């Protein structure tokens, strides 16, 4: 599977109502560290069928980013059952990202 583009229009159905835990990647196209992290996020999306992976472009979805208090990117947020389970900013190794997941 590939990451899903998350917008304010599909956030409710894709994230809050998901029956799987959701890993959200808050990113921007101009952000070098975001580009470094992107292949890792894509890899996790392909390997883990038990979770949903979404990407939120902070330039296009500023309202969504500010609702999570995103101050720096990349920021990863894990949500399950509509609740935030964890949040981490900056580039992280794959194993550290996987350890955030339930």
């Amino acid at each position: 599977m590939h990451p899903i583009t998350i917008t304010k229009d599909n956030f409710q159905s894709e994230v809050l109502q998901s029956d799987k835990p959701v890993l959200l990647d808050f990113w921007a196209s101009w952000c070098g560290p975001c580009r470094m992290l992107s292949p890792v996020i894509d890899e996790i999306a392909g390997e883990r069928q038990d979770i949903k992976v979404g990407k939120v472009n902070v330039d296009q979805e500023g309202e969504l980013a500010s609702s999570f208090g995103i101050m720096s990117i990349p920021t990863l947020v894990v949500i399950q059952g509509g609740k935030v389970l964890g949040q981490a900013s900056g580039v992280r190794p794959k194993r550290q990202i996987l350890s955030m997941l339930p």
Side-chain angles (χ1 to χ4, degrees), residues 6-49:
I6 302 296
T7 66
K8 65 182 186 316
D9 297 329
N10 70 359
F11 181 78
Q12 181 79 26
S13 62
E14 292 288 356
V15 178
L16 295 181
Q17 295 173 354
S18 175
D19 55 350
K20 298 178 179 180
V22 182
L23 172 64
L24 289 180
D25 175 18
F26 287 84
W27 70 284
S29 59
W30 50 263
C31 165
C34 298
R35 290 195 302 271
M36 286 173 48
L37 187 61
S38 187
V40 176
I41 299 301
D42 293 348
E43 199 175 292
I44 291 170
E47 292 174 357
R48 294 282 304 262
Q49 304 307 311

